[in-house]
């Protein structure tokens, strides 16, 4: 077996729920690459290592082509495509990178960004001019510091109107000056408001927003949480963000929250350990003795784990959380999008055996696979492999969402009404639907707020014009194999 100390399980579980975030039916993986400095002469060594990794740990290793039948002189990007099992329908996620350090930082929520997430839509009948509709601005990022916020509409960059042909170039610059637009009658027009922003390295706090909404007339006290990535902490404090979740749920508990809305529409996954923390704060009638999720590896690793740790070695239980509010809940509402993936889907699926999970929004990404970012144990290069190692299931052995259709929501609601309302606004499209299902009527002002419905042609883009990688990361799982 591999030297599993080099399998960075921070990424294993993030893979399990990973999906093609934008749901544009583009099943090709993101190109995990920077400037490739590896010469063609070195490709054979990298590819030999890559085949060894896949032949050992890959969930579908029995379906690999014979190594002798492959051209080992091609780029590892091309070589991997010869190894991946049913790329379009099954393994949509395994990939390679030539800069494993940069990718690991990204998985940990560290990246050089403006700090904006947005959807692109045409704003004219001729489908020429485009608006970038901000659905999220990262806390303490350059964009947030400059004053940009959810709901803003970017029409121009460096004085030039965004169009189908120029938006990729304009938005890829390191420093940009953006001109905002506004809705006037039924048209979106440019204003005189501008902001200049420069990319900087940001460690993203995944707890984007939380509040308690009190509705005494309906007997409802509603906890609302926007959570954007499953990351336990940062370099300075490894449990910082998990502890932030615990503090929020302590507040929910103290205030008597009896309905919960978990907003995962921007969450493409992350560490399984944080998924467990969140689920353990929510689950009804759960305990550290009850199963949160189960794993299925290839036959070699199943045999290893069960020999080492017993028949239940691949069952993973909830953790004890003193601020769990499940005893006061009958259900949890989860807001979803096509970018809701991996560890997010794991939480949804893992809670279903214990309580009603009501999903609102769009189909999720559909990733029930978990994997790991694997580096070369001899440290000969910075190439790394992002390999799918298996799949997850809940306590009832249910795992039926691992397709391009993902999880179908109980209430299909497209988040296409702009300008996007602020998180926590009771008239915001998806939250409004959750409140409606709870029996809470809309405020009268909701009927007069100016809005426009658009049809995004690209959704949930980040600063680099890509969707966030869908991850299910499992921390420290392989270490025991080498002790």
């Amino acid at each position: 077996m591999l030297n599993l100390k080099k399998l960075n399980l921070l990424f294993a579980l993030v893979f399990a729920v990973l999906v093609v975030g934008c749901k544009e039916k583009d099943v090709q993986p993101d190109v995990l690459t920077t400037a490739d400095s590896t010469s063609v002469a070195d490709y054979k060594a990298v590819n030999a290592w890559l085949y060894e990794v896949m032949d050992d740990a890959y969930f579908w290793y029995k379906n690999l082509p014979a190594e002798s039948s492959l051209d080992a002189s091609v780029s590892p990007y091309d070589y991997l495509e010869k190894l991946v099992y049913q790329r379009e329908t099954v393994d949509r996620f395994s990939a390679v990178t030539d800069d494993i350090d940069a990718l690991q930082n990204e998985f940990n929520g560290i990246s050089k960004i403006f700090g904006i997430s947005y959807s692109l839509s045409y704003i004219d009948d001729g489908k020429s001019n485009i608006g970038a509709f901000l659905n999220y601005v990262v806390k303490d990022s350059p964009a947030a510091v400059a004053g940009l916020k959810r709901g803003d509409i970017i029409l121009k960059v460096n004085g030039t109107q965004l169009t189908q042909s120029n938006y990729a170039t304009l938005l890829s610059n390191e420093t940009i000056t953006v001109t905002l637009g506004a809705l006037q009658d039924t048209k979106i027009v440019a204003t005189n408001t501008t902001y200049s922003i420069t990319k900087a390295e940001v460690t993203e706090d995944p707890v984007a927003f939380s509040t308690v909404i009190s509705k005494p007339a309906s007997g409802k006290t509603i906890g609302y949480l926007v959570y954007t990535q499953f990351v336990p902490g940062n370099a300075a404090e490894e449990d910082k963000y998990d502890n932030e979740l615990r503090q929020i749920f302590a507040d929910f508990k103290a205030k008597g929250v009896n309905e919960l809305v978990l907003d995962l529409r921007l969450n493409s996954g992350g560490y399984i350990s944080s998924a467990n923390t969140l689920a353990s704060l929510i689950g009804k009638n759960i305990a550290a003795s009850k199963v949160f999720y189960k794993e299925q590896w290839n036959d070699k690793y199943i045999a290893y784990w069960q020999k080492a740790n017993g028949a239940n070695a691949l069952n993973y239980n909830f953790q004890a959380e003193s601020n769990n509010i499940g005893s006061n809940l009958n259900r949890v509402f989860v807001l979803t999008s096509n970018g809701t993936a991996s560890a997010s889907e794991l939480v949804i699926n893992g809670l279903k055996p214990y309580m009603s999970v009501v999903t609102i929004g769009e189909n999720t990404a559909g990733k029930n696979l978990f994997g790991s970012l694997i580096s070369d144990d001899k440290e000969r290069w910075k190439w790394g492999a992002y390999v799918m190692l298996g799949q997850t299931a809940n306590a009832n052995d249910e795992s039926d969402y691992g397709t391009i259709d993902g999880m179908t929501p109980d209430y299909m609601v497209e988040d296409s009404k702009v300008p996007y309302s602020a998180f926590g606004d009771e008239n915001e499209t998806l939250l409004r639907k959750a409140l409606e299902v709870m029996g809470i009527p809309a405020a009268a002002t909701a009927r007069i707020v100016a809005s426009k419905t658009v049809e995004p042609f690209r959704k949930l883009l980040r600063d680099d014009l890509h969707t966030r990688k869908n991850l299910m990361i499992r921390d420290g799982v392989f270490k025991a194999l080498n002790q």
Side-chain angles (χ1 to χ4, degrees):
M1 290 187 175
L2 295 173
N3 179 352
L4 292 178
K5 288 181 180 178
K6 293 297 182 179
L7 293 184
N8 192 331
L9 277 210
L10 293 178
F11 311 107
L13 274 215
V14 182
F15 304 156
V17 190
L18 195 268
V19 188
V20 177
C22 225
K23 211 60 173 176
E24 297 174 286
K25 303 303 180 184
D26 177 5
V27 297
Q28 295 301 316
D30 287 337
V31 177
L32 309 182
T33 180
T34 54
D36 179 10
S37 60
T38 307
S39 68
V40 174
D42 294 326
Y43 283 166
K44 289 186 177 181
V46 174
N47 289 335
W49 167 80
L50 183 58
Y51 193 94
E52 179 187 7
V53 167
M54 299 286 279
D55 191 43
D56 178 63
Y58 193 44
F59 191 46
W60 302 276
Y61 78 96
K62 291 182 178 179
N63 298 98
L64 292 175
E67 187 174 10
S68 60
S69 70
L70 302 173
D71 181 0
S73 66
V74 300
S75 162
Y77 299 107
D78 296 328
Y79 189 82
L80 179 76
E81 294 309 305
K82 303 298 183 182
L83 307 181
V84 168
Y85 179 66
Q86 296 185 16
R87 168 64 83 189
E88 293 189 358
T89 57
V90 180
D91 181 5
R92 295 169 280 145
F93 315 108
S94 291
V96 293
T97 176
D98 62 4
D99 191 343
I100 195 169
D101 296 333
L103 187 58
Q104 179 171 330
N105 278 339
E106 184 178 344
F107 285 179
N108 286 331
I110 304 170
S111 52
K112 188 176 182 181
I113 57 174
F114 297 125
I116 56 176
S117 173
Y118 52 92
S119 295
L120 295 174
S121 298
Y122 296 109
I123 59 171
D124 60 350
D125 294 336
K127 292 189 174 182
S128 174
N129 294 333
I130 287 170
F133 297 85
L134 302 191
N135 47 52
Y136 175 54
V137 176
V138 176
K139 288 191 294 188
D140 300 323
S141 67
V145 172
L148 288 166
K149 62 186 184 302
R150 173 178 163 86
D152 284 340
I153 305 168
I154 297 175
L155 289 189
K156 297 180 181 180
V157 174
N158 298 334
T160 301
Q161 170 65 50
L162 294 174
T163 67
Q164 173 71 48
S165 61
N166 70 18
Y167 76 86
T169 300
L170 290 173
L171 289 169
S172 64
N173 292 317
E174 291 289 302
T175 298
I176 58 176
T177 297
V178 300
T179 301
L180 299 190
L183 181 62
Q184 292 184 4
D185 296 323
T186 61
K187 295 184 178 181
I188 297 172
V189 299
T191 68
N192 294 323
T193 303
T194 63
Y195 296 95
S196 292
I197 50 177
T198 300
K199 289 182 179 180
E201 186 172 281
V202 175
T203 301
E204 182 175 345
D205 183 342
V207 182
F209 180 82
S210 69
T211 192
V212 174
I213 302 170
S214 181
K215 295 293 177 181
S218 303
K220 303 293 186 183
T221 303
I222 305 151
Y224 175 67
L225 170 66
V226 182
Y227 189 59
T228 64
Q229 187 178 10
F230 291 86
V231 179
N234 56 30
E237 187 178 346
E238 62 181 13
D239 295 324
K240 177 180 176 64
Y241 306 133
D242 279 359
N243 287 335
E244 190 175 351
L245 285 177
R246 293 181 175 107
Q247 291 169 1
I248 288 169
F249 276 82
D251 182 59
F252 287 172
K253 189 173 186 177
K255 292 178 178 176
V257 162
N258 56 18
E259 296 277 15
L260 178 65
V261 179
L262 179 60
D263 194 335
L264 298 180
R265 78 184 86 179
L266 299 169
N267 194 314
S268 61
Y271 290 87
I272 288 183
S273 62
S274 291
N276 197 335
T277 298
L278 181 59
S280 298
L281 288 163
I282 296 171
K284 186 177 184 67
N285 296 325
I286 61 165
S289 61
K290 293 191 176 182
V291 173
F292 171 40
Y293 77 98
K294 303 177 182 180
E295 293 178 1
Q296 182 181 359
W297 296 58
N298 70 36
D299 57 349
K300 293 182 290 186
Y301 278 92
I302 288 176
Y304 174 84
W305 290 119
Q306 292 183 343
K307 180 179 179 181
N309 299 317
N312 295 323
L314 297 176
N315 292 353
Y316 293 88
N317 294 347
F318 289 95
Q319 58 201 39
E321 290 290 343
S322 61
N323 294 316
N324 171 278
I325 63 171
S327 62
N328 213 26
L329 300 176
N330 290 317
R331 60 191 172 183
V332 57
F333 292 86
V334 182
L335 309 185
T336 67
S337 74
N338 301 150
T340 302
S342 302
S344 288
E345 293 169 300
L346 181 68
V347 168
I348 294 169
N349 197 47
L351 287 174
K352 282 184 175 181
Y354 303 96
M355 64 195 305
S356 174
V357 181
V358 182
T359 49
I360 296 172
E362 299 177 86
N363 286 56
T364 64
K367 186 176 184 290
N368 62 352
L369 300 173
F370 65 90
S372 183
L373 185 64
I374 305 172
S375 62
D376 173 35
D377 58 359
K378 297 179 182 178
E379 300 182 350
R380 291 167 290 182
W381 44 67
K382 284 196 171 185
W383 286 92
Y386 178 43
V387 178
M388 295 302 102
L389 303 173
Q391 65 184 26
T392 62
N394 65 20
N396 293 338
D397 296 313
E398 296 164 332
S399 183
D400 58 356
Y401 58 90
T403 71
I404 58 175
D405 294 322
M407 296 175 172
T408 300
D410 298 301
Y411 297 91
M412 183 72 73
V413 181
E414 187 170 1
D415 191 10
S416 58
K417 186 180 292 185
V418 298
Y420 295 122
S421 298
F423 290 132
D425 185 325
E426 294 178 32
N427 300 321
E428 190 277 319
T429 304
L430 270 60
L431 178 57
R432 176 67 253 150
K433 184 63 179 180
L435 296 174
E436 176 189 312
V437 176
M438 292 178 200
I440 299 172
T445 54
R447 301 184 182 93
I448 60 174
V449 172
S451 64
K452 177 182 177 68
T453 298
V454 297
E455 296 183 6
F457 65 89
R458 295 200 70 184
K459 298 180 181 180
L460 301 177
L461 296 178
R462 302 283 287 190
D463 295 271
D464 58 1
L465 299 173
H466 293 293
T467 56
R468 176 175 262 168
K469 296 173 180 65
N470 302 320
L471 306 173
M472 187 151 44
I473 303 165
R474 190 148 170 289
D475 197 3
V477 132
F478 296 113
K479 295 178 180 177
L481 294 182
N482 295 286
Q483 294 177 350

